[in-house]
Structures are given as structure tokens and as C-alpha cells.
Amino acid sequence: MAENQMMGKQSIRLGEAPHIIGNASVVGKKEGEGPLGKAFDLVSTDDFFGEKNWEAAESTMQAEAVQAALGAAGVKAFQVRYLFGGDLLGQLIATSFGLEDFKIPLFGLYGACSTCGEALSLAAMTLSGGYADYAAAVTSSHFASAEKQFRFPLSYGNQRPLAASWTVTGSGAFILGKQGGKVRITEITTGKVVDYGVKDSMNMGACMAPAAADTIYQNLMDLNRMPADYDRIITGDLGYVGQEILISLMKEKGFDISNVHMDCGIEIYDREKQDTHSGGSGCGCSATVLSAKILPMIARGSWKRVLFVPTGALLSTVSFNEGKSVPGIAHGVVLEHC
Amino acid sequence: MAENQMMGKQSIRLGEAPHIIGNASVVGKKEGEGPLGKAFDLVSTDDFFGEKNWEAAESTMQAEAVQAALGAAGVKAFQVRYLFGGDLLGQLIATSFGLEDFKIPLFGLYGACSTCGEALSLAAMTLSGGYADYAAAVTSSHFASAEKQFRFPLSYGNQRPLAASWTVTGSGAFILGKQGGKVRITEITTGKVVDYGVKDSMNMGACMAPAAADTIYQNLMDLNRMPADYDRIITGDLGYVGQEILISLMKEKGFDISNVHMDCGIEIYDREKQDTHSGGSGCGCSATVLSAKILPMIARGSWKRVLFVPTGALLSTVSFNEGKSVPGIAHGVVLEHC
């Protein structure tokens, strides 16, 4: 068995690079009407997903995404040794209730909207460490449960500043195995909390861009790569505002990523028609775009190597109301065609 | 390098069993007055820990615990490749803000009060997988921030039923390394969500006992052991009520653990004098008792092998108010004298 290697300060190279052997995306109505609408596996016309409240709706999305990903991988739930899951809600209730029926050992994760990167990292490390033959990663967010959690009840009808992003209603699930599929996870760069002191919870892009820059820079240094060594460097949900900041921060660090940068929050909605301001966000944003767009592009060889960097803004209504800043975190995962 | 092995359905044996090379506990005034008072590393007479609010106090506890554990291990923060941390607050704010100054790559975890087991499991897997030379695990809870989060403002002065537990104000931190120290983590049994449909958030012991029973049973089956193969089987925070249920559930499964069972929630307070009803609970309960009592007993060889099983009750005020049950989860870690 090839050994895992520590690379530089905060990256690792996986000795037995795990393959993504099944993936699925489940989204709400608005996401289905966006540019990637036809690429999602399941688009619900009912944002309640048949449930009585938004939290249960989010749980149902997660369960459906995992079920569909298992189906795509041709793997049964009992074969999966570890499930890495998370969401944005307090105490991860979407995950706890969404995944309980699978009866798979569960590691609950919280990294705000970076959780998809965190879950994929740990699932991949688990496989390449010899702890499992199959592991799963799943994350979700729901516009309505997130607005209720972080901002205002929907019926209050608050105005949204142009820097605000729109929480994606969606869940993406991924089954990792030792062989099969056309995409593998080769390296991982785990992020630190990066705090530039930004206090504007309606401008998540600005809060997260410094964390994204930190992780991307460290990835390039640790692996001795240039931006052009990646076909795309793809952040989670910086949106239009955060993208500008990221590109500028990277220039200050000596790297021009403007030619290869892409952001899932920008991809998922139509800026002109969908009134989503700075773009999409949420644990479900990067996860569904990974499943619906990024993995297919890598699988068919259009992209050979991608640095996928979901980005999270670390705050709660309590920390925000107590005057705390909104630090960011970003977890990098290198995906390669195989 | 010895290879990691999958054992039975949901356990693993670590090829290079990591050592706990430094640990520390930081607690509040009430915990300092309890039976383990003198064994904690730091007892604060001020439950605000010099901060302006309870959440910041909890962050400060975490930072102090990690700092003290690093000191005990003789390791600098920059040598630690991964920090696994978590707490009970929505969006893990105690962890995000408590750990940001260490600038260590962070995996945020949520497993309710089982998080100490989750963090130790992943930190140990990370080391034995060859991903790090040093990794850290830290968890915390604070009576006041938890009451505010889950129940009532303290000034409301609500009555507490006898089945209720008392959230421990405390944080425990652990530094894992490849050698040094007298305790190592040899096996891990990761828990599933177990839901018996209990809906009483004032009786956490009853919610968590089925999950503890599930993990302990699976550990015994996977590793082909009997309860007597452990000097102690130690749950996190079942308390008096949960302990009775656990012993009875285990009897139904064919194992009598009554001679070896211990519960951190029972150990931490004096039932007669401290008016804490069913016992202590919280992410800080099992973590501080592990650091102050369990590790010293194993280190000096009084106990050769212990199954440590922090237990978590998965709920939020939202899930509870929406009529959801309170499922449990429990993560098992085998600790051995070396």
C-alpha cells in the first residue's frame, strides 16, 4: 500500500487516492430554474420536499441525496463504514435526523459552508488510511431554514443588500471507494480559521475570501504548483463580491488566478434573471455544483485537475449580536481525472 | 508501518496506536468544588473567565485547555497539523473563536456531548494514517451558555426535574503524538444515530443510553471481547438515570457491565451536596473527567484497558419545539496503558 505523505505545512498527498464512485444532487425549485437546472439529479417543485417544516425538508433532501449517490455507486448503505455529514443549522439537526435511517457510523461536521470540503477530506483520509472500503460525504443547506436560523423569518420580507448571497436549497452526496469512477481525490489542504475582522453578515464573500486565499496559497506552496497547474481553482460561495477580493488577495501573494478561478455561488444562479445579488451560498451550494457540474467535467476529461475549495463564514446570530467578527475557513481538495 | 485494520462491522484497530502525550482540563467554580476538584489543571473562580459573555468565556476555556495541553506535551502549536474541536453551541462559536489564534488547520465537529470521542477518534485516525506527527482534540461546554442555548435564561430561574443533568463548565484538550506518555488509543468504535423516540429534553440520560448500549455492544462484538476485558467501560454523561437504563439494555443484549461501568457525569459532582440531580453533562464533562481522572489512572497502570464512550443527545430547540425525538450517538475509544 502506498503511504500517505505530509506535504509542506498543511497539505497531504493520499497514498491510495480514493475515487468518487457515485454522486448525486438534490435541489429546490429556484436552483432548478438556474443555469445548472438540467444537470441536477432531482429538482423538487415543492421546497418543503413533502415535509411539514423547513428543517425536515432539509433532512429529506440529505436522505434523498445519499440514497441517489448510493444508487449511482452501486453500493448498499451497510457497506459504507463512515458517513461524514453536516449542515448549517444549530446542532446539525438536518444531518442528525436526515441520516439516522441509514444506520451508518456518523461523524457530524461543522465548517459552515466549507463543510463539503471538510467532509470530502475526512472521507478520503479514512479510505486512504485503510479504515474503510467505502465512505460517504453529504452536506446540505435550505434557503428557508437558513434565513430562519441566521436572519429573519421569511414572512418579515426584509430587504437584501447587493453584497448578500442567496442560500442554496440543495444537498450533494458523494460515495468514495477504492476503485471505479473517473475522478479521484489526490491531495488535501486543510484550512485554518482566518479572521480579517469583517463584521458584515450580509457580505459573506468579504468574510470568506481571506480564508480562501490562505488555503489556495498554502496549497500552491505545499505542492509546489502554479495556478496554471490547475484547470480550475473553484471556491464554494464567494459570489461576485468575494471573487474580486480573492483575486486581488492572491495577486498580493504573487499569484494570478483570474484565468482559472470559478465560484460555485456564481455558477448556480443567473445573475440577471434570478435576483440573487452576489450569488449562491450555503453548504449545499458547493456540494450540488460539484456533483452537477465539476465532477462531470473532470470525469469526461475536459478538466484534468481541479482545486476545489469550499468556503465557510463562521458566525451565529449569538456571536454576531455580541459584536464578534465573521471569520472564514476554507478546505481544499484536489480532484483529478483518472 | 503496521497497517490499520477494520474489525467487524464498525470498529478499527490502529496500526500505529497514537499516544496521548499531553492533556489538560479547565473547569468552573462548581466543578472545582466537586469530588475531582483538586485533579483539574485549572479551576476558575470566575465563570466568565475574564470575558464579557458566556460564549466568550467558553472560548477562553478552550484556548486555555489547548495551551496547557501543548505545554504538558512539550509541543508548539505550529507542530500540530490538525486540531479537532467542537462544542454545543449553534455553529460551534465557542470553538471557532476559541481556537483561531492557534492558527492550526481545524476540523470543526459536532456530536453533541459525544464530541470528545469523535475528536479523539479522528485525531487518532489521522496520526495512524500517517497524516500528522501531532494532532489535537478539544471540546468544551459551559453551564450558562448551554442553558441559554437549549433551555431558559439563567435569570428566569426555572425548576429542574430530577432526571435533568447539569451542564459541566469545562474544557478538556488532548495532544496526540507517535510516542511519549503512558496511554495510547488502540481501537475505535464509531457510533450511529440511535433513536428510541424519547422526547424528554430534561432526561438526556434516557435519550443517550440506547446509543451507548449500541456502541458498547458493537465494540464487544467487533473486537471479540467481554466486559471483563476492560477495567472500566466509561460513558460520558448518562448520569444516574441513564446508567440504570444502560446496564439494563446491556443485560438484554447478554452482557453484564454493572461491575465495570462508570459514568463521567456521575463522577464529576457530589450528588448529595451539589444539587445536580442526575449528574453532569456536556462536551466538557467527559473531556475534563478523561483528563483529570481516567488518563491518570491508566497512566499509572491502575487500569490497563478502558473503553471510553462519550455520549451525545442530538437535539436543538428548533427540533425539540417541532416535536422531534431526541436521538443519541456514542463514540467509543479504547485506551490502553503502555
Side-chain angles (χ1 to χ4, degrees):
Chain A
M1 220 168 99
E3 290 206 359
N4 300 308
Q5 283 177 272
M6 292 177 240
M7 308 291 292
K9 277 191 190 169
Q10 64 194 73
S11 302
I12 50 174
R13 178 161 289 153
L14 299 168
E16 302 284 331
H19 294 231
I20 298 179
I21 60 168
N23 55 282
S25 55
V26 175
V27 299
K29 188 161 173 285
K30 190 181 187 86
E31 292 68 28
E33 292 163 356
L36 302 178
K38 287 184 182 152
F40 297 118
D41 295 295
L42 200 154
V43 178
S44 179
T45 51
D46 163 26
D47 280 354
F48 273 107
F49 287 79
E51 301 291 343
K52 286 187 187 161
N53 56 59
W54 302 120
E55 292 76 20
E58 191 173 339
S59 290
T60 297
M61 273 197 305
Q62 279 208 11
E64 286 178 353
V66 171
Q67 200 59 59
L70 286 169
V75 168
K76 303 282 181 205
F78 74 84
Q79 296 176 278
V80 178
R81 259 182 112 84
Y82 296 103
L83 188 42
F84 293 88
D87 61 82
L88 296 176
L89 303 181
Q91 292 76 46
L92 297 192
I93 51 171
T95 303
S96 305
F97 292 103
L99 303 179
E100 65 177 334
D101 287 344
F102 292 104
K103 303 197 184 310
I104 301 172
L106 174 70
F107 284 115
L109 308 177
Y110 183 79
C113 309
S114 76
T115 309
C116 178
E118 183 180 1
L120 286 171
S121 297
L122 288 169
M125 288 161 72
T126 297
L127 252 82
S128 190
Y131 303 117
D133 292 321
Y134 299 104
V138 59
T139 54
S140 68
S141 53
H142 192 297
F143 175 74
S145 65
E147 288 294 305
K148 177 174 152 185
Q149 170 85 97
F150 292 101
R151 298 179 188 96
F152 298 98
L154 291 186
S155 42
Y156 176 73
N158 66 305
Q159 281 205 324
R160 304 162 53 78
L162 288 173
S165 53
W166 188 277
T167 305
V168 166
T169 297
S171 174
F174 308 90
I175 312 298
L176 274 60
K178 291 182 172 172
Q179 49 197 343
K182 307 291 285 176
V183 181
R184 41 182 212 156
I185 298 178
T186 52
E187 289 113 358
I188 288 162
T189 304
T190 302
K192 301 171 294 197
V193 179
V194 176
D195 192 347
Y196 270 32
V198 183
K199 291 194 176 185
D200 185 355
S201 78
M202 291 290 186
N203 188 349
M204 297 291 196
C207 303
M208 298 185 290
D214 193 79
T215 298
I216 295 167
Y217 174 79
Q218 204 57 52
N219 177 276
L220 297 172
M221 298 305 287
D222 288 347
L223 302 177
N224 195 23
R225 285 189 185 145
M226 293 297 289
D229 291 325
Y230 292 110
D231 292 298
R232 290 290 184 284
I233 293 177
I234 306 176
T235 46
D237 50 0
L238 297 183
Y240 295 96
V241 175
Q243 180 179 47
E244 264 186 57
I245 302 173
L246 171 66
I247 289 173
S248 148
L249 286 172
M250 287 303 296
K251 274 196 184 135
E252 283 173 23
K253 290 173 192 278
F255 292 106
D256 180 0
I257 64 163
S258 58
N259 286 328
V260 292
H261 183 252
M262 182 181 125
D263 183 71
C264 299
I266 292 176
E267 297 298 312
I268 198 165
Y269 297 121
D270 185 312
R271 193 183 196 178
E272 305 301 320
K273 295 182 195 155
Q274 292 194 288
D275 193 32
T276 44
H277 298 347
S278 188
S281 64
C283 282
C285 178
S286 55
T288 55
V289 173
L290 175 61
S291 180
K293 174 160 183 171
I294 304 170
L295 291 182
M297 287 293 281
I298 304 173
R300 77 172 74 103
S302 304
W303 297 336
K304 299 289 185 201
R305 187 195 281 151
V306 163
L307 173 57
F308 177 61
V309 192
T311 38
L314 300 165
L315 84 161
S316 78
T317 47
V318 175
S319 70
F320 183 74
N321 289 330
E322 288 175 352
K324 285 280 194 185
S325 58
V326 183
I329 192 163
H331 294 299
V333 173
V334 178
L335 301 165
E336 288 189 10
H337 174 77
C338 61
Chain B
M1 219 167 98
E3 290 206 359
N4 300 309
Q5 283 178 269
M6 292 177 239
M7 308 291 291
K9 278 191 190 171
Q10 64 193 74
S11 302
I12 50 174
R13 177 162 288 154
L14 299 168
E16 303 283 333
H19 294 232
I20 298 179
I21 60 167
N23 56 282
S25 54
V26 175
V27 298
K29 188 163 175 286
K30 190 180 187 86
E31 292 68 28
E33 293 164 355
L36 302 178
K38 288 186 179 150
F40 297 117
D41 295 296
L42 201 154
V43 178
S44 179
T45 50
D46 163 26
D47 280 353
F48 274 107
F49 287 79
E51 300 290 343
K52 285 185 188 161
N53 57 58
W54 302 122
E55 292 77 20
E58 191 174 339
S59 291
T60 296
M61 272 197 304
Q62 279 208 10
E64 286 178 353
V66 172
Q67 200 61 60
L70 285 169
V75 168
K76 303 282 181 205
F78 73 85
Q79 296 176 278
V80 178
R81 259 182 112 85
Y82 296 102
L83 188 42
F84 293 87
D87 61 81
L88 296 176
L89 303 180
Q91 291 77 46
L92 297 192
I93 51 171
T95 303
S96 305
F97 292 102
L99 304 179
E100 66 177 337
D101 287 345
F102 291 105
K103 303 195 186 312
I104 301 172
L106 174 70
F107 285 115
L109 308 178
Y110 184 79
C113 309
S114 76
T115 309
C116 178
E118 183 180 1
L120 286 171
S121 297
L122 288 169
M125 288 162 71
T126 297
L127 253 81
S128 189
Y131 303 118
D133 292 322
Y134 300 104
V138 59
T139 55
S140 68
S141 54
H142 192 298
F143 175 73
S145 65
E147 287 294 306
K148 178 174 152 186
Q149 170 84 97
F150 291 101
R151 298 181 188 95
F152 298 99
L154 291 186
S155 41
Y156 176 72
N158 66 305
Q159 282 206 324
R160 305 162 53 79
L162 288 173
S165 52
W166 188 278
T167 305
V168 166
T169 297
S171 174
F174 309 90
I175 311 297
L176 274 59
K178 291 183 174 173
Q179 48 197 343
K182 308 291 284 174
V183 181
R184 42 183 210 155
I185 298 178
T186 51
E187 289 112 359
I188 288 163
T189 304
T190 303
K192 302 171 294 197
V193 179
V194 176
D195 192 346
Y196 271 32
V198 183
K199 291 194 177 184
D200 185 356
S201 78
M202 290 289 186
N203 188 350
M204 297 291 196
C207 302
M208 297 185 290
D214 193 79
T215 299
I216 295 167
Y217 174 79
Q218 204 56 55
N219 176 275
L220 297 173
M221 299 304 287
D222 287 347
L223 302 177
N224 195 21
R225 285 188 184 145
M226 292 298 288
D229 291 325
Y230 292 111
D231 292 298
R232 290 289 184 285
I233 294 176
I234 306 177
T235 46
D237 49 1
L238 297 184
Y240 295 96
V241 176
Q243 180 179 47
E244 263 186 57
I245 302 174
L246 171 66
I247 289 173
S248 146
L249 286 172
M250 287 304 295
K251 274 197 185 134
E252 282 172 26
K253 290 173 192 277
F255 292 107
D256 180 1
I257 63 163
S258 58
N259 286 329
V260 292
H261 183 253
M262 182 181 126
D263 183 73
C264 299
I266 293 176
E267 297 297 311
I268 198 166
Y269 296 122
D270 185 311
R271 193 183 197 180
E272 305 300 321
K273 294 181 194 155
Q274 292 194 288
D275 193 30
T276 44
H277 298 344
S278 187
S281 64
C283 282
C285 179
S286 56
T288 56
V289 174
L290 175 62
S291 180
K293 174 159 185 173
I294 304 169
L295 291 181
M297 287 294 280
I298 304 174
R300 77 172 71 105
S302 304
W303 296 336
K304 299 290 185 199
R305 187 194 280 153
V306 163
L307 173 57
F308 177 61
V309 192
T311 37
L314 301 165
L315 84 161
S316 78
T317 47
V318 174
S319 70
F320 182 73
N321 288 331
E322 288 175 353
K324 285 280 195 186
S325 58
V326 183
I329 192 163
H331 293 300
V333 173
V334 178
L335 302 165
E336 287 189 11
H337 174 77
C338 62

